[in-house]
Amino acid sequence: MSNFKKLNLKNVCDCNERFRIYIDDTNSIIYKQLKNPRIKKRIRENFDKYKNIILNTNNQNICSIEAFNVEDDGSYKCNYIKGFTLYQIKYRKKFGLNDVINQEKSNIIDAIEDLKKEIIRMKSGDWHINNLVYSLKEKKIYNVDCEGYFTYPNGICLTTLENTLNNIINSF
């Protein structure tokens, strides 16, 4: 069994309010432990619905990372994606990542263009750039906020997503 340690998110985003995030000792599994008691209560009252959303049983969670081991308090595990959040990409100079991200420039732009084609199908989820991770391995963007498909059934940040993606592309 793997041991988990708290993940340092200082170079990933400026916020982490709802979860404590841990990574296993092999750096391959993320454990997201829900902190908010009010949301935990809501999840427990709708656990089957929540679990189906997290596991993406209906294949409706666009670009969602594959999650597993959903707990009745809302916590769950998913595979770690080696890459960069779109937040890091947008503010790469702030994080000292300009050179490494510029090496992936054409792949990142292609992945963003692919994501833009999916916007029309996005109906739910949290589409803030902190939640969107470009995978160095798969050369695609994942939404790592599985719970956002439950928390935001009408979608959040969708109205500005395309403009934000265009701004990131134009920043290169």
Side-chain angles (χ1 to χ4, degrees), residues 42 46-61 64-65 67 70 76 124-125 145-153:
R42 184 172 158 219
N46 299 283
F47 182 67
D48 288 337
K49 179 179 180 180
Y50 178 81
K51 183 176 180 180
N52 287 332
I53 288 172
I54 297 299
L55 298 176
N56 198 17
T57 57
N58 295 327
N59 295 316
Q60 294 178 347
N61 303 351
S64 181
I65 184 67
V70 182
Y76 63 91
S124 64
D145 184 354
C146 296
E147 68 282 354
Y149 296 99
F150 176 81
T151 310
Y152 301 103

Side-chain angles (χ1 to χ4, degrees), residues 149-160:
Y149 296 99
F150 176 81
T151 310
Y152 301 103
N154 298 318
I156 188 170
C157 300
L158 283 173
T159 56
T160 59

Side-chain angles (χ1 to χ4, degrees), residues 9-171:
L9 297 173
K10 287 182 185 174
N11 289 329
V12 177
C13 64
D14 281 340
C15 63
N16 175 26
E17 299 173 14
R18 294 187 176 173
F19 284 85
R20 288 182 192 92
I21 300 177
Y22 301 90
I23 190 163
D24 76 335
D25 53 7
T26 66
N27 292 327
S28 60
I29 305 291
I30 296 291
Y31 176 60
K32 294 179 80 175
Q33 184 182 48
L34 188 60
K35 297 190 296 189
N36 187 311
R38 192 178 82 242
I39 297 173
K40 284 182 182 184
K41 182 178 188 272
R42 184 172 158 219
I43 288 168
R44 283 191 174 105
E45 291 169 352
N46 299 283
F47 182 67
D48 288 337
K49 179 179 180 180
Y50 178 81
K51 183 176 180 180
N52 287 332
I53 288 172
I54 297 299
L55 298 176
N56 198 17
T57 57
N58 295 327
N59 295 316
Q60 294 178 347
N61 303 351
I62 309 298
C63 307
S64 181
I65 184 67
E66 186 175 330
F68 53 94
N69 291 10
V70 182
E71 299 173 10
D72 68 354
D73 72 349
S75 301
Y76 63 91
K77 293 178 183 169
C78 60
N79 291 323
Y80 173 73
I81 298 174
K82 183 176 169 81
F84 305 101
T85 66
L86 293 191
Y87 184 87
Q88 288 175 295
I89 292 169
K90 182 175 182 179
Y91 299 106
R92 58 192 172 276
K93 291 177 185 172
K94 170 183 170 180
F95 293 115
L97 297 170
N98 202 42
D99 292 339
V100 68
I101 288 174
N102 280 338
Q103 291 174 356
E104 281 289 312
K105 174 183 172 179
S106 65
N107 292 325
I108 292 169
I109 290 172
D110 289 346
I112 290 172
E113 291 294 346
D114 288 344
L115 180 62
K116 284 170 48 179
K117 293 174 189 171
E118 296 293 331
I119 289 174
I120 190 102
R121 296 185 329 126
M122 296 172 186
K123 306 294 183 219
S124 64
D126 183 349
W127 294 94
H128 190 275
I129 58 176
N130 284 332
N131 300 326
L132 304 176
V133 177
Y134 168 76
S135 167
L136 288 164
K137 182 179 178 184
E138 287 94 8
K139 311 294 184 204
K140 69 181 268 185
I141 296 170
Y142 288 97
N143 186 332
V144 297
D145 184 354
C146 296
E147 68 282 354
Y149 296 99
F150 176 81
T151 310
Y152 301 103
N154 298 318
I156 188 170
C157 300
L158 283 173
T159 56
T160 59
L161 182 58
E162 188 167 11
N163 286 339
T164 302
L165 297 175
N166 287 333
N167 290 337
I168 294 170
I169 290 172
N170 293 333
S171 73

